[in-house]
Amino acid sequence: MSLLTHVLACLFGMGSWVAINGMWVELPLVVQEIPEGWHLPSYLTVLIQTANIGPLFITLMHRFRPGVLDDRPVIYCIVGLGVIATFLLAFFWRHTVTIGGSLHSVPLLVLSFLLSVVDCTSSVTFLPFMMRLRPQYLTTYFVGEGLSGLVPALVALIQGVGVVHCQDASLVDSTNKTNNFTVAGSSELKAIYQSAKFSTQVFFMFLSAMMVVCLVAFILLNYHPSVARERKNDLYFSGDLTPGNREQGLSLHAQTPEQKPMISPLEARAPRSSFGKGTYSNIDLVFIFAVLAWVNALTNAVLPSVQSYSCLPYGNKAYHLAATMAAVANPVACFIAMCMPTRSLMFMGFLTMFGTGFGAYIMAMAALSPCPLLVHSAFGTVVIVLVWILFVLSLSYVKVIIGVILRDEGHSALVWCGAVVQLGSMVGAISMFPLVSVYKLFKSGDACNTKCPM
């Protein structure tokens, strides 16, 4: 294995969702200067789900016109679009257009939609492209995909996004000359947001630079001599093999103990599916794809939509720790999968239930907001942060297991893997949008004032 190829695969994976993840972490600064205000997250949710027309088109092409659509030109197009859109976003995100007598951030919304198309389509193009490389590099790609959320979060943390200082309301209001209401001696605290260390424009330029890095990494993965030599030396990973050579490559591949799926004798006697290489039965495949959709619905849509409700009652520090450490847990899970690979469906099911249990606790705390369990206790803060870490850690590991399993089943399996990822995320987002934004079933906790019974 080549260290350079590992680095390139990681950088390539970082470009998969870095743009949209960057948009989310920058929201506290963006919403202060646009007419939509805090309605913007709801608009972004709708735009991201609408952008699934990209993956839908790619999946239908692979299904009905197999072999016609090459992944590489599509990747060049979407990554190039990502570079341009993030660059334009840096200069036009505050521009507004008058529609129906009111101002709207049309450039921001249009560019956000284009970035959503880029990131959603990456799920059904980046993964199949990784089929051209050895299986070990797929895990490295997942590490990069995890870093696509961690890196923008760390940069936003350095920038000072959403950092709150709690001050006595009487001291704050005394500086306001137009305020005639005296609150001296009040115990009420007011949240004061800290100024950012650098502007939103600089942050969006950073996102554009990240997309450029992704594009350069992709070019090198295609044309760098060391990567090309590796690809040519392994017949299994060549997409242009004759049937005889392909069988030889598969035979060589089957001799590698690490790549053998862990199948019990009972599973071995079950009829094999025609999907991929027929390693798994139809029941196995339904289970794998159902778990994939469920896990991505939870990690990409359902729980992120209630993160602030589950954490803010415990304080602003708890919210930022949970968000940052959960972002760290994603690539850590990929590193663990790299060191301890497994293909056991039983273990995958157990880990899914384990992670879902943590997700249920998070959802329960969000439903109890602004007065969740142990809200006045430091132990409650530790618990909610730890639960978020274990939730992301366990289900991220499940996603890597499924990615490795489907990678061994071939190119079309990875296309369907990306499609199911987007389908699960879409169903999760559609389910949570009315609960959070329309019916407002969740009540936000105050970062500075939490009045709950002891």
Side-chain angles (χ1 to χ4, degrees), residues 10-275:
C10 183
L11 294 176
F12 177 56
M14 284 177 65
S16 57
W17 282 92
V18 71
I20 290 300
N21 287 334
M23 280 290 299
W24 280 110
V25 299
E26 194 70 2
L27 281 179
L29 293 183
V30 172
V31 297
Q32 296 178 32
E33 302 190 44
I34 60 172
E36 286 79 8
W38 277 105
H39 291 292
L40 180 61
S42 300
Y43 296 152
L44 282 180
T45 303
V46 174
L47 290 174
I48 291 171
Q49 302 317 314
T50 307
N52 279 306
I53 58 172
L56 177 62
F57 172 75
I58 300 294
T59 305
L60 291 176
M61 284 294 293
H62 281 290
R63 174 65 181 85
F64 296 106
R65 299 294 299 275
V68 173
L69 194 63
D70 188 357
D71 296 321
R72 286 173 293 186
V74 176
I75 293 175
Y76 278 120
C77 290
I78 63 173
V79 176
L81 178 62
V83 172
I84 296 170
T86 46
F87 182 79
L88 293 176
L89 198 60
F91 297 96
F92 296 103
W93 69 274
R94 278 189 296 191
H95 286 233
T96 56
V97 177
T98 302
I99 300 177
S102 58
L103 292 175
H104 295 278
S105 304
V106 174
L108 174 65
L109 295 175
V110 170
L111 292 171
S112 297
F113 172 74
L114 294 178
L115 290 176
S116 300
V117 172
V118 169
D119 289 2
C120 291
T121 308
S122 73
S123 297
V124 292
T125 52
F126 284 21
L127 276 174
F129 171 78
M130 294 303 297
M131 179 73 183
R132 302 171 186 271
L133 303 175
R134 297 175 185 268
Q136 294 87 340
Y137 298 119
L138 181 63
T139 308
T140 309
Y141 167 84
F142 280 120
V143 172
E145 193 174 77
L147 291 174
S148 72
L150 175 61
V151 172
L154 291 178
V155 173
L157 203 62
I158 295 170
Q159 186 185 14
V161 171
V163 177
V164 175
H165 296 291
C166 298
Q167 294 185 10
D168 192 301
S170 60
L171 298 177
V172 176
D173 290 337
S174 65
T175 61
N176 188 352
K177 304 302 182 183
T178 62
N179 187 3
N180 297 319
F181 182 70
T182 303
V183 290
S186 171
S187 60
E188 193 78 11
L189 298 176
K190 181 170 287 189
I192 305 298
Y193 285 87
Q194 177 179 296
S195 300
K197 293 182 175 65
F198 53 87
S199 68
T200 302
Q201 182 181 39
V202 173
F203 183 84
F204 286 144
M205 291 296 290
F206 163 76
L207 294 183
S208 184
M210 291 295 298
M211 293 304 298
V212 171
V213 169
C214 173
L215 180 60
V216 171
F218 178 63
I219 293 171
L220 293 176
L221 283 173
N222 279 288
Y223 298 108
H224 195 279
S226 66
V227 180
R229 280 196 303 270
E230 260 189 45
R231 202 159 50 236
K232 290 175 182 175
N233 287 341
D234 193 339
L235 293 173
Y236 175 75
F237 303 102
S238 174
D240 303 317
L241 296 177
T242 62
N245 286 339
R246 189 182 300 277
E247 290 176 6
Q248 180 186 355
L250 293 174
S251 176
L252 291 172
H253 176 70
Q255 293 172 10
T256 308
E258 182 190 358
Q259 303 307 322
K260 290 180 180 178
M262 296 175 64
I263 305 174
S264 67
L266 184 62
E267 289 173 321
R269 291 195 296 269
R272 302 295 92 191
S273 167
S274 59
F275 182 83

